[in-house]
Amino acid sequence: MATIPVAVLGATGAVGQRFIQLLEGHPLFQVVALTGSERSAGKKYHEVCRWVLDTPMPAAVANLTVLDADADLPAQLVFSALPSTVAGPIEQRLAAAGHIVCSNASNHRMEPDVPLIIPEVNPDHLALIPVQRRRRGWSGAIVTNPNCTSTPATMVLRPLLDTFGVRRMLLVSMQALSGAGYPGVPSYDVVDNVIPYIGGEEPKLEIEPQKMLGRLEGETIVPAGFTTSAHCNRVPVLEGHLVCLSIELERKADPAEIATVLSNFRGLPQELRLPTAPEQPIIVRHEPDRPQPRRDRDAGRGMATVVGRIRPCSLFDIKLIALSHNTIRGAAGASILNAELMHAQGWLA
């Protein structure tokens, strides 16, 4: 089967590099175009990219010429690793020109006609694509993946909401340095320290899960009815976002029931055997001190959510820890899985 040509926007940044790493040898997609800043445009990728990942730069992209942000792209499918400061108008221009933009940026996530997708959670929300096209008069589309910290929380909430119902949630995050991009947080600020503030992060965690877990009624998503209070912290860990969740359920459940429901959870990507999908999307650990970022972030090739310390909560009903690899499942891998689902459902035809 011939591969589909794809472009990566913001290819020299940390998330752009992760896209390129994960797309190397992909059975469906082949990188044929890269974009970068004005400083990078016109130069070979290997000349302008300071590669920071732990595998070599793929040879297939090393000699690609970096295009500027306004270039015509030789690919219908575009993966956007652009920073939110510039992503909005560029992604809109490409969608208007007929491109399918799978975006990691936050700009369009909460727009009512833009799907905000975790394929195991809400694949039916892709039905917003024709609504978006009709309303905006374009032939392409923008499809987004969520914030890297919303991802593990929402993965856990899907089976809990479906089985027990959810009323309220308290979320405390411990977020890795790579979530700030490269070069990220100055070492003088974060070594021997925890930074209890990440700009704009807490509001995302308090609204994104409700959209993803909401019902699609006609052309509108009715948000899920639970409420969330979030505290976000940057910690001196390279990769892997850890979230502590205290959850009030509509129907009471003990830790063993919760563990069983989470372990048994499967979604459409597992049914379709999508290339990037983990075989088990939620892995429950029973050791008293797991999950841990260094030991568990690469579970399911970085695409699984790892849950542990499931126990009663004296304030709400249940509390647990969830971990997700923030630049794989929480960023590039999430967009790629969205594109695989779109391919399987015929949206890329």
Side-chain angles (χ1 to χ4, degrees), residues 145-172:
N145 55 271
N147 174 277
C148 48
T149 315
S150 297
T151 299
T154 307
M155 284 287 286
V156 167
L157 287 171
R158 175 80 281 168
L160 297 186
L161 183 67
D162 291 346
T163 307
F164 307 108
V166 173
R167 290 176 177 163
R168 292 185 292 176
M169 178 174 69
L170 174 65
L171 181 156
V172 179

PDB file of all heavy atoms in Angstrom, residues 145-172:
ATOM      1  N   ASN A 145      -5.605  17.512  19.135  1.00  0.00           N
ATOM      2  CA  ASN A 145      -5.466  16.635  20.298  1.00  0.00           C
ATOM      3  C   ASN A 145      -5.353  17.502  21.539  1.00  0.00           C
ATOM      4  O   ASN A 145      -5.018  18.692  21.458  1.00  0.00           O
ATOM      5  CB  ASN A 145      -4.261  15.703  20.162  1.00  0.00           C
ATOM      6  CG  ASN A 145      -2.961  16.425  19.918  1.00  0.00           C
ATOM      7  OD1 ASN A 145      -2.603  16.676  18.766  1.00  0.00           O
ATOM      8  ND2 ASN A 145      -2.233  16.766  20.976  1.00  0.00           N
ATOM      9  N   PRO A 146      -5.627  16.949  22.721  1.00  0.00           N
ATOM     10  CA  PRO A 146      -5.715  17.785  23.920  1.00  0.00           C
ATOM     11  C   PRO A 146      -4.367  18.157  24.508  1.00  0.00           C
ATOM     12  O   PRO A 146      -3.306  17.688  24.087  1.00  0.00           O
ATOM     13  CB  PRO A 146      -6.506  16.910  24.895  1.00  0.00           C
ATOM     14  CG  PRO A 146      -6.203  15.516  24.457  1.00  0.00           C
ATOM     15  CD  PRO A 146      -6.079  15.580  22.968  1.00  0.00           C
ATOM     16  N   ASN A 147      -4.430  19.001  25.500  1.00  0.00           N
ATOM     17  CA  ASN A 147      -3.287  19.324  26.338  1.00  0.00           C
ATOM     18  C   ASN A 147      -2.660  18.041  26.884  1.00  0.00           C
ATOM     19  O   ASN A 147      -3.354  17.069  27.182  1.00  0.00           O
ATOM     20  CB  ASN A 147      -3.770  20.224  27.477  1.00  0.00           C
ATOM     21  CG  ASN A 147      -2.720  20.519  28.500  1.00  0.00           C
ATOM     22  OD1 ASN A 147      -2.495  19.724  29.404  1.00  0.00           O
ATOM     23  ND2 ASN A 147      -2.082  21.663  28.382  1.00  0.00           N
ATOM     24  N   CYS A 148      -1.338  18.063  27.020  1.00  0.00           N
ATOM     25  CA  CYS A 148      -0.617  16.848  27.419  1.00  0.00           C
ATOM     26  C   CYS A 148      -0.968  16.376  28.830  1.00  0.00           C
ATOM     27  O   CYS A 148      -0.750  15.204  29.148  1.00  0.00           O
ATOM     28  CB  CYS A 148       0.893  17.070  27.290  1.00  0.00           C
ATOM     29  SG  CYS A 148       1.494  18.603  28.024  1.00  0.00           S
ATOM     30  N   THR A 149      -1.516  17.246  29.653  1.00  0.00           N
ATOM     31  CA  THR A 149      -1.931  16.841  30.997  1.00  0.00           C
ATOM     32  C   THR A 149      -3.405  16.464  31.040  1.00  0.00           C
ATOM     33  O   THR A 149      -3.818  15.644  31.869  1.00  0.00           O
ATOM     34  CB  THR A 149      -1.632  17.948  32.011  1.00  0.00           C
ATOM     35  OG1 THR A 149      -0.311  18.449  31.785  1.00  0.00           O
ATOM     36  CG2 THR A 149      -1.712  17.440  33.437  1.00  0.00           C
ATOM     37  N   SER A 150      -4.199  17.025  30.145  1.00  0.00           N
ATOM     38  CA  SER A 150      -5.593  16.586  30.025  1.00  0.00           C
ATOM     39  C   SER A 150      -5.683  15.129  29.591  1.00  0.00           C
ATOM     40  O   SER A 150      -6.639  14.423  29.924  1.00  0.00           O
ATOM     41  CB  SER A 150      -6.344  17.444  29.005  1.00  0.00           C
ATOM     42  OG  SER A 150      -6.421  18.785  29.386  1.00  0.00           O
ATOM     43  N   THR A 151      -4.676  14.676  28.847  1.00  0.00           N
ATOM     44  CA  THR A 151      -4.751  13.342  28.245  1.00  0.00           C
ATOM     45  C   THR A 151      -4.862  12.221  29.269  1.00  0.00           C
ATOM     46  O   THR A 151      -5.807  11.425  29.200  1.00  0.00           O
ATOM     47  CB  THR A 151      -3.546  13.124  27.315  1.00  0.00           C
ATOM     48  OG1 THR A 151      -3.583  14.113  26.280  1.00  0.00           O
ATOM     49  CG2 THR A 151      -3.565  11.736  26.714  1.00  0.00           C
ATOM     50  N   PRO A 152      -3.935  12.080  30.243  1.00  0.00           N
ATOM     51  CA  PRO A 152      -4.092  10.957  31.173  1.00  0.00           C
ATOM     52  C   PRO A 152      -5.355  11.061  32.018  1.00  0.00           C
ATOM     53  O   PRO A 152      -5.995  10.044  32.309  1.00  0.00           O
ATOM     54  CB  PRO A 152      -2.825  11.029  32.036  1.00  0.00           C
ATOM     55  CG  PRO A 152      -2.339  12.434  31.910  1.00  0.00           C
ATOM     56  CD  PRO A 152      -2.710  12.853  30.517  1.00  0.00           C
ATOM     57  N   ALA A 153      -5.725  12.278  32.408  1.00  0.00           N
ATOM     58  CA  ALA A 153      -6.942  12.437  33.203  1.00  0.00           C
ATOM     59  C   ALA A 153      -8.174  11.993  32.421  1.00  0.00           C
ATOM     60  O   ALA A 153      -9.037  11.282  32.944  1.00  0.00           O
ATOM     61  CB  ALA A 153      -7.082  13.894  33.645  1.00  0.00           C
ATOM     62  N   THR A 154      -8.251  12.395  31.155  1.00  0.00           N
ATOM     63  CA  THR A 154      -9.430  12.069  30.351  1.00  0.00           C
ATOM     64  C   THR A 154      -9.472  10.585  30.011  1.00  0.00           C
ATOM     65  O   THR A 154     -10.556   9.980  29.973  1.00  0.00           O
ATOM     66  CB  THR A 154      -9.443  12.923  29.077  1.00  0.00           C
ATOM     67  OG1 THR A 154      -9.322  14.301  29.437  1.00  0.00           O
ATOM     68  CG2 THR A 154     -10.728  12.733  28.298  1.00  0.00           C
ATOM     69  N   MET A 155      -8.312   9.985  29.776  1.00  0.00           N
ATOM     70  CA  MET A 155      -8.284   8.537  29.528  1.00  0.00           C
ATOM     71  C   MET A 155      -8.857   7.773  30.719  1.00  0.00           C
ATOM     72  O   MET A 155      -9.621   6.819  30.549  1.00  0.00           O
ATOM     73  CB  MET A 155      -6.856   8.092  29.257  1.00  0.00           C
ATOM     74  CG  MET A 155      -6.343   8.443  27.875  1.00  0.00           C
ATOM     75  SD  MET A 155      -7.057   7.429  26.567  1.00  0.00           S
ATOM     76  CE  MET A 155      -6.188   5.890  26.850  1.00  0.00           C
ATOM     77  N   VAL A 156      -8.509   8.184  31.918  1.00  0.00           N
ATOM     78  CA  VAL A 156      -9.020   7.528  33.122  1.00  0.00           C
ATOM     79  C   VAL A 156     -10.510   7.792  33.292  1.00  0.00           C
ATOM     80  O   VAL A 156     -11.288   6.902  33.658  1.00  0.00           O
ATOM     81  CB  VAL A 156      -8.227   8.006  34.353  1.00  0.00           C
ATOM     82  CG1 VAL A 156      -8.927   7.605  35.646  1.00  0.00           C
ATOM     83  CG2 VAL A 156      -6.807   7.451  34.321  1.00  0.00           C
ATOM     84  N   LEU A 157     -10.923   9.016  33.006  1.00  0.00           N
ATOM     85  CA  LEU A 157     -12.318   9.391  33.243  1.00  0.00           C
ATOM     86  C   LEU A 157     -13.290   8.684  32.306  1.00  0.00           C
ATOM     87  O   LEU A 157     -14.438   8.435  32.681  1.00  0.00           O
ATOM     88  CB  LEU A 157     -12.481  10.903  33.106  1.00  0.00           C
ATOM     89  CG  LEU A 157     -11.901  11.742  34.249  1.00  0.00           C
ATOM     90  CD1 LEU A 157     -11.933  13.217  33.876  1.00  0.00           C
ATOM     91  CD2 LEU A 157     -12.678  11.506  35.537  1.00  0.00           C
ATOM     92  N   ARG A 158     -12.860   8.355  31.065  1.00  0.00           N
ATOM     93  CA  ARG A 158     -13.790   7.738  30.116  1.00  0.00           C
ATOM     94  C   ARG A 158     -14.445   6.469  30.675  1.00  0.00           C
ATOM     95  O   ARG A 158     -15.684   6.395  30.727  1.00  0.00           O
ATOM     96  CB  ARG A 158     -13.066   7.449  28.808  1.00  0.00           C
ATOM     97  CG  ARG A 158     -13.870   6.685  27.744  1.00  0.00           C
ATOM     98  CD  ARG A 158     -14.826   7.575  26.967  1.00  0.00           C
ATOM     99  NE  ARG A 158     -16.068   7.900  27.657  1.00  0.00           N
ATOM    100  CZ  ARG A 158     -16.919   8.836  27.250  1.00  0.00           C
ATOM    101  NH1 ARG A 158     -16.665   9.527  26.156  1.00  0.00           N
ATOM    102  NH2 ARG A 158     -18.021   9.084  27.919  1.00  0.00           N
ATOM    103  N   PRO A 159     -13.678   5.464  31.092  1.00  0.00           N
ATOM    104  CA  PRO A 159     -14.352   4.263  31.612  1.00  0.00           C
ATOM    105  C   PRO A 159     -15.037   4.508  32.945  1.00  0.00           C
ATOM    106  O   PRO A 159     -16.068   3.876  33.229  1.00  0.00           O
ATOM    107  CB  PRO A 159     -13.220   3.242  31.741  1.00  0.00           C
ATOM    108  CG  PRO A 159     -11.971   4.039  31.790  1.00  0.00           C
ATOM    109  CD  PRO A 159     -12.227   5.255  30.963  1.00  0.00           C
ATOM    110  N   LEU A 160     -14.520   5.424  33.775  1.00  0.00           N
ATOM    111  CA  LEU A 160     -15.171   5.704  35.053  1.00  0.00           C
ATOM    112  C   LEU A 160     -16.505   6.414  34.833  1.00  0.00           C
ATOM    113  O   LEU A 160     -17.500   6.095  35.498  1.00  0.00           O
ATOM    114  CB  LEU A 160     -14.260   6.549  35.943  1.00  0.00           C
ATOM    115  CG  LEU A 160     -12.935   5.914  36.370  1.00  0.00           C
ATOM    116  CD1 LEU A 160     -12.210   6.810  37.365  1.00  0.00           C
ATOM    117  CD2 LEU A 160     -13.149   4.524  36.961  1.00  0.00           C
ATOM    118  N   LEU A 161     -16.525   7.371  33.931  1.00  0.00           N
ATOM    119  CA  LEU A 161     -17.769   8.077  33.633  1.00  0.00           C
ATOM    120  C   LEU A 161     -18.807   7.116  33.070  1.00  0.00           C
ATOM    121  O   LEU A 161     -19.980   7.145  33.457  1.00  0.00           O
ATOM    122  CB  LEU A 161     -17.482   9.204  32.638  1.00  0.00           C
ATOM    123  CG  LEU A 161     -18.649  10.108  32.252  1.00  0.00           C
ATOM    124  CD1 LEU A 161     -19.113  10.935  33.443  1.00  0.00           C
ATOM    125  CD2 LEU A 161     -18.251  11.021  31.100  1.00  0.00           C
ATOM    126  N   ASP A 162     -18.385   6.234  32.167  1.00  0.00           N
ATOM    127  CA  ASP A 162     -19.328   5.307  31.537  1.00  0.00           C
ATOM    128  C   ASP A 162     -19.875   4.277  32.515  1.00  0.00           C
ATOM    129  O   ASP A 162     -21.022   3.845  32.395  1.00  0.00           O
ATOM    130  CB  ASP A 162     -18.645   4.582  30.377  1.00  0.00           C
ATOM    131  CG  ASP A 162     -18.338   5.498  29.210  1.00  0.00           C
ATOM    132  OD1 ASP A 162     -18.873   6.623  29.179  1.00  0.00           O
ATOM    133  OD2 ASP A 162     -17.544   5.091  28.335  1.00  0.00           O
ATOM    134  N   THR A 163     -19.050   3.886  33.502  1.00  0.00           N
ATOM    135  CA  THR A 163     -19.432   2.793  34.402  1.00  0.00           C
ATOM    136  C   THR A 163     -20.071   3.285  35.698  1.00  0.00           C
ATOM    137  O   THR A 163     -21.059   2.708  36.173  1.00  0.00           O
ATOM    138  CB  THR A 163     -18.199   1.935  34.748  1.00  0.00           C
ATOM    139  OG1 THR A 163     -17.563   1.529  33.534  1.00  0.00           O
ATOM    140  CG2 THR A 163     -18.595   0.703  35.547  1.00  0.00           C
ATOM    141  N   PHE A 164     -19.520   4.350  36.261  1.00  0.00           N
ATOM    142  CA  PHE A 164     -19.956   4.803  37.588  1.00  0.00           C
ATOM    143  C   PHE A 164     -20.566   6.197  37.589  1.00  0.00           C
ATOM    144  O   PHE A 164     -21.281   6.556  38.528  1.00  0.00           O
ATOM    145  CB  PHE A 164     -18.775   4.798  38.571  1.00  0.00           C
ATOM    146  CG  PHE A 164     -18.051   3.482  38.635  1.00  0.00           C
ATOM    147  CD1 PHE A 164     -16.788   3.343  38.077  1.00  0.00           C
ATOM    148  CD2 PHE A 164     -18.618   2.378  39.247  1.00  0.00           C
ATOM    149  CE1 PHE A 164     -16.105   2.137  38.134  1.00  0.00           C
ATOM    150  CE2 PHE A 164     -17.958   1.166  39.306  1.00  0.00           C
ATOM    151  CZ  PHE A 164     -16.688   1.043  38.742  1.00  0.00           C
ATOM    152  N   GLY A 165     -20.273   6.995  36.570  1.00  0.00           N
ATOM    153  CA  GLY A 165     -20.635   8.401  36.589  1.00  0.00           C
ATOM    154  C   GLY A 165     -19.631   9.200  37.400  1.00  0.00           C
ATOM    155  O   GLY A 165     -19.046   8.694  38.363  1.00  0.00           O
ATOM    156  N   VAL A 166     -19.417  10.451  37.024  1.00  0.00           N
ATOM    157  CA  VAL A 166     -18.455  11.320  37.696  1.00  0.00           C
ATOM    158  C   VAL A 166     -19.117  12.655  38.004  1.00  0.00           C
ATOM    159  O   VAL A 166     -19.774  13.245  37.135  1.00  0.00           O
ATOM    160  CB  VAL A 166     -17.197  11.544  36.824  1.00  0.00           C
ATOM    161  CG1 VAL A 166     -16.270  12.577  37.451  1.00  0.00           C
ATOM    162  CG2 VAL A 166     -16.458  10.226  36.606  1.00  0.00           C
ATOM    163  N   ARG A 167     -18.925  13.136  39.238  1.00  0.00           N
ATOM    164  CA  ARG A 167     -19.496  14.424  39.647  1.00  0.00           C
ATOM    165  C   ARG A 167     -18.441  15.521  39.741  1.00  0.00           C
ATOM    166  O   ARG A 167     -18.651  16.630  39.260  1.00  0.00           O
ATOM    167  CB  ARG A 167     -20.192  14.274  41.001  1.00  0.00           C
ATOM    168  CG  ARG A 167     -21.472  13.463  40.946  1.00  0.00           C
ATOM    169  CD  ARG A 167     -22.059  13.265  42.319  1.00  0.00           C
ATOM    170  NE  ARG A 167     -23.326  12.555  42.263  1.00  0.00           N
ATOM    171  CZ  ARG A 167     -23.896  11.974  43.301  1.00  0.00           C
ATOM    172  NH1 ARG A 167     -23.316  12.010  44.503  1.00  0.00           N
ATOM    173  NH2 ARG A 167     -25.039  11.335  43.155  1.00  0.00           N
ATOM    174  N   ARG A 168     -17.330  15.222  40.410  1.00  0.00           N
ATOM    175  CA  ARG A 168     -16.293  16.243  40.634  1.00  0.00           C
ATOM    176  C   ARG A 168     -14.925  15.579  40.622  1.00  0.00           C
ATOM    177  O   ARG A 168     -14.799  14.386  40.908  1.00  0.00           O
ATOM    178  CB  ARG A 168     -16.485  16.944  41.982  1.00  0.00           C
ATOM    179  CG  ARG A 168     -17.720  17.819  42.082  1.00  0.00           C
ATOM    180  CD  ARG A 168     -17.754  18.561  43.412  1.00  0.00           C
ATOM    181  NE  ARG A 168     -17.966  17.660  44.544  1.00  0.00           N
ATOM    182  CZ  ARG A 168     -17.950  18.043  45.820  1.00  0.00           C
ATOM    183  NH1 ARG A 168     -17.711  19.313  46.121  1.00  0.00           N
ATOM    184  NH2 ARG A 168     -18.175  17.167  46.784  1.00  0.00           N
ATOM    185  N   MET A 169     -13.913  16.417  40.318  1.00  0.00           N
ATOM    186  CA  MET A 169     -12.547  15.900  40.327  1.00  0.00           C
ATOM    187  C   MET A 169     -11.587  16.992  40.779  1.00  0.00           C
ATOM    188  O   MET A 169     -11.677  18.145  40.339  1.00  0.00           O
ATOM    189  CB  MET A 169     -12.139  15.402  38.940  1.00  0.00           C
ATOM    190  CG  MET A 169     -10.710  14.904  38.862  1.00  0.00           C
ATOM    191  SD  MET A 169     -10.307  14.166  37.244  1.00  0.00           S
ATOM    192  CE  MET A 169     -10.329  15.651  36.198  1.00  0.00           C
ATOM    193  N   LEU A 170     -10.674  16.619  41.647  1.00  0.00           N
ATOM    194  CA  LEU A 170      -9.540  17.464  42.020  1.00  0.00           C
ATOM    195  C   LEU A 170      -8.300  16.883  41.357  1.00  0.00           C
ATOM    196  O   LEU A 170      -8.019  15.685  41.486  1.00  0.00           O
ATOM    197  CB  LEU A 170      -9.360  17.495  43.538  1.00  0.00           C
ATOM    198  CG  LEU A 170      -8.110  18.246  44.054  1.00  0.00           C
ATOM    199  CD1 LEU A 170      -8.207  19.726  43.724  1.00  0.00           C
ATOM    200  CD2 LEU A 170      -7.940  18.038  45.554  1.00  0.00           C
ATOM    201  N   LEU A 171      -7.578  17.716  40.624  1.00  0.00           N
ATOM    202  CA  LEU A 171      -6.402  17.268  39.869  1.00  0.00           C
ATOM    203  C   LEU A 171      -5.189  18.072  40.295  1.00  0.00           C
ATOM    204  O   LEU A 171      -5.231  19.310  40.312  1.00  0.00           O
ATOM    205  CB  LEU A 171      -6.654  17.440  38.367  1.00  0.00           C
ATOM    206  CG  LEU A 171      -5.581  17.011  37.381  1.00  0.00           C
ATOM    207  CD1 LEU A 171      -6.226  16.695  36.019  1.00  0.00           C
ATOM    208  CD2 LEU A 171      -4.493  18.058  37.184  1.00  0.00           C
ATOM    209  N   VAL A 172      -4.118  17.387  40.642  1.00  0.00           N
ATOM    210  CA  VAL A 172      -2.834  18.026  40.932  1.00  0.00           C
ATOM    211  C   VAL A 172      -1.797  17.412  39.999  1.00  0.00           C
ATOM    212  O   VAL A 172      -1.601  16.188  39.996  1.00  0.00           O
ATOM    213  CB  VAL A 172      -2.414  17.831  42.403  1.00  0.00           C
ATOM    214  CG1 VAL A 172      -1.057  18.481  42.662  1.00  0.00           C
ATOM    215  CG2 VAL A 172      -3.470  18.402  43.351  1.00  0.00           C
TER     216      VAL A 172
END
